[in-house]
């Protein structure tokens, strides 16, 4: 059984977390191939089963990546997470779908491609001093800015926001004091959780900006919230990461990651993901 773990050309090697997955797949007898996503051509030959891992340039090459994902539409079970899930999750409008299903978000203002939102007007309307501006198609805080009264963006900074459309979200101050919790789910169930904290003076929790990660045990209410988020998703998934912040008003969803999230795998979690992936690959090959 051939399993492709898809990366990207700028970072073609597996992360240490995903290397654990490769080890477990190999231990189970699979042939594991590690390759940038655009080196795998589903229309040309049968790549086997492809698992999106560190495809971390997809938002910068969205037109190409979207076309590539569409190439799997007629290959049932060959891409995980599946094309329909990836294409829904890539545009942050999915958050609006989840909010309509009853999931708590920070207050959010949406704007369309080609539009420049009046950020100061939104801050005045919400009576807030800070908010976060981000593109609708983005990853690793790409094109994301902290807004405050009077801040202006250059034309270059507006480019990704105008290309995909964007959103303004009320700043959640608990990110600074409590960090962000990531709940990791594999093959239909909860697996483990981590807490991500931003570096001092920053609001972004990603390691690229100095953020740190530590294991943690989520409370029952946090687990319940994560399960409610995933219950509102009508599309199939093998792995998922629910990113949330605990506030005094209860948890709020920051992101639901269904494309290429770092899953912070342990050996046990890697074995669980490998088993789920191989089961789906077996069904696809049958």
């Amino acid at each position: 059984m051939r399993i492709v773990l898809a990366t990207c050309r700028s970072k073609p090697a597996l992360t240490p977390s995903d290397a654990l997955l490769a080890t477990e797949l190999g231990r189970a007898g699979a042939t594991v191939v590690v390759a940038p996503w655009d080196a795998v051509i589903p229309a040309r030959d049968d790549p086997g089963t492809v698992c999106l891992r560190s495809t971390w340039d997809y938002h910068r090459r969205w037109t190409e990546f979207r076309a590539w994902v569409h190439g799997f539409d007629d290959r049932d079970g060959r891409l995980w997470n599946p094309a329909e899930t990836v294409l829904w999750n890539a545009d942050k409008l999915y958050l609006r779908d989840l909010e309509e299903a009853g999931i708590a978000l920070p207050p959010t203002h949406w704007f369309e491609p080609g539009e420049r939102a009046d950020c100061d007007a939104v801050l005045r309307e919400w009576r807030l001093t800070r908010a976060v501006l981000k593109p609708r198609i983005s990853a690793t805080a790409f094109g994301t800015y902290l807004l405050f009264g009077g801040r202006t963006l250059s034309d270059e900074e507006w480019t990704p926001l105008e290309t995909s459309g964007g959103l303004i979200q009320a700043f959640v101050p608990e990110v600074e004091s409590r960090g962000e919790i990531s709940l990791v789910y594999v093959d239909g169930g909860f697996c483990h959780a981590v807490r991500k904290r931003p570096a001092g003076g920053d609001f972004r929790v990603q390691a690229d900006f100095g953020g740190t990660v530590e294991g943690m045990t989520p409370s029952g209410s946090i687990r319940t919230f994560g399960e409610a988020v995933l219950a509102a998703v009508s599309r199939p998934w093998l792995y998922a990461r629910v990113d949330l912040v605990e506030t005094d008003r209860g948890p709020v969803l920051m992101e639901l990651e269904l494309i290429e999230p770092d899953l912070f795998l342990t050996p046990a979690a890697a074995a669980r993901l490998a088993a789920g992936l191989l089961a789906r690959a077996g069904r696809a090959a049958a």
Side-chain angles (χ1 to χ4, degrees):
M1 196 171 293
R2 187 173 190 263
I3 305 292
V4 177
L5 301 180
T7 62
C8 61
R9 292 196 181 273
S10 60
K11 296 183 178 180
L14 293 177
T15 66
S17 172
D18 289 337
L20 294 175
L21 173 60
T23 296
E24 293 298 332
L25 287 167
R27 184 173 290 147
T31 298
V32 181
V33 177
V34 180
W37 61 267
D38 56 351
V40 180
I41 313 298
R44 183 184 64 196
D45 52 24
D46 186 352
T49 295
V50 177
C51 183
L52 300 176
R53 292 314 312 126
S54 49
T55 57
W56 290 339
D57 62 353
Y58 82 86
H59 56 292
R60 296 177 181 269
R61 301 173 59 192
W62 173 238
T63 300
E64 297 169 74
F65 187 78
R66 179 177 57 194
W68 180 79
V69 169
H70 273 298
F72 289 88
D73 280 353
D74 60 352
R75 293 170 178 263
D76 184 39
R78 295 294 188 181
L79 181 68
W80 291 95
N81 284 327
E84 64 171 298
T85 304
V86 169
L87 296 172
W88 174 72
N89 191 233
D91 188 326
K92 295 187 193 301
L93 279 179
Y94 78 83
L95 289 168
R96 191 161 65 186
D97 294 343
L98 294 177
E99 184 176 40
E100 290 172 354
I103 302 302
L105 306 180
T108 304
H109 171 84
W110 302 92
F111 56 95
E112 295 301 312
E115 180 184 353
R116 290 196 182 187
D118 187 337
C119 301
D120 283 346
V122 173
L123 285 173
R124 288 194 300 271
E125 178 186 346
W126 288 347
R127 298 182 180 179
L128 294 176
T129 58
R130 292 186 293 175
V132 177
L133 173 68
K134 61 182 76 171
R136 278 174 27 193
I137 297 176
S138 176
T140 321
F142 170 71
T144 298
Y145 302 98
L146 183 65
L147 297 176
F148 43 84
R151 174 165 187 180
T152 59
L153 272 63
S154 68
D155 288 344
E156 181 179 0
E157 290 171 326
W158 270 110
T159 296
L161 294 151
E162 291 180 311
T163 299
S164 69
L167 60 153
I168 302 171
Q169 284 191 324
F171 182 76
V172 181
E174 288 89 350
V175 170
E176 297 173 315
S177 58
R178 302 178 185 176
E180 183 177 284
I181 294 173
S182 287
L183 304 176
V184 176
Y185 295 80
V186 172
D187 203 11
F190 174 75
C191 193
H192 58 276
V194 300
R195 188 184 300 274
K196 301 176 293 186
R197 298 184 186 275
D202 208 320
F203 68 100
R204 297 163 296 188
V205 297
Q206 292 85 355
D208 306 61
F209 306 104
T212 58
V213 178
E214 60 190 30
M216 58 91 66
T217 301
S219 66
S221 61
I222 293 299
R223 289 275 301 272
T224 297
F225 181 82
E227 289 158 11
V229 171
L230 290 171
V233 177
S234 60
R235 294 157 180 85
W237 53 272
L238 168 61
Y239 54 84
R241 198 183 81 196
V242 177
D243 293 342
L244 61 95
V245 176
E246 289 182 280
T247 75
D248 293 339
R249 302 166 304 286
V252 295
L253 180 68
M254 305 304 289
E255 297 277 2
L256 169 61
E257 300 279 6
L258 295 171
I259 303 177
E260 35 59 77
D262 189 337
L263 297 172
F264 310 106
L265 295 173
T266 63
R272 181 170 171 177
L273 179 55
L277 185 58
L278 289 170
R280 286 159 178 77
R283 290 198 291 268

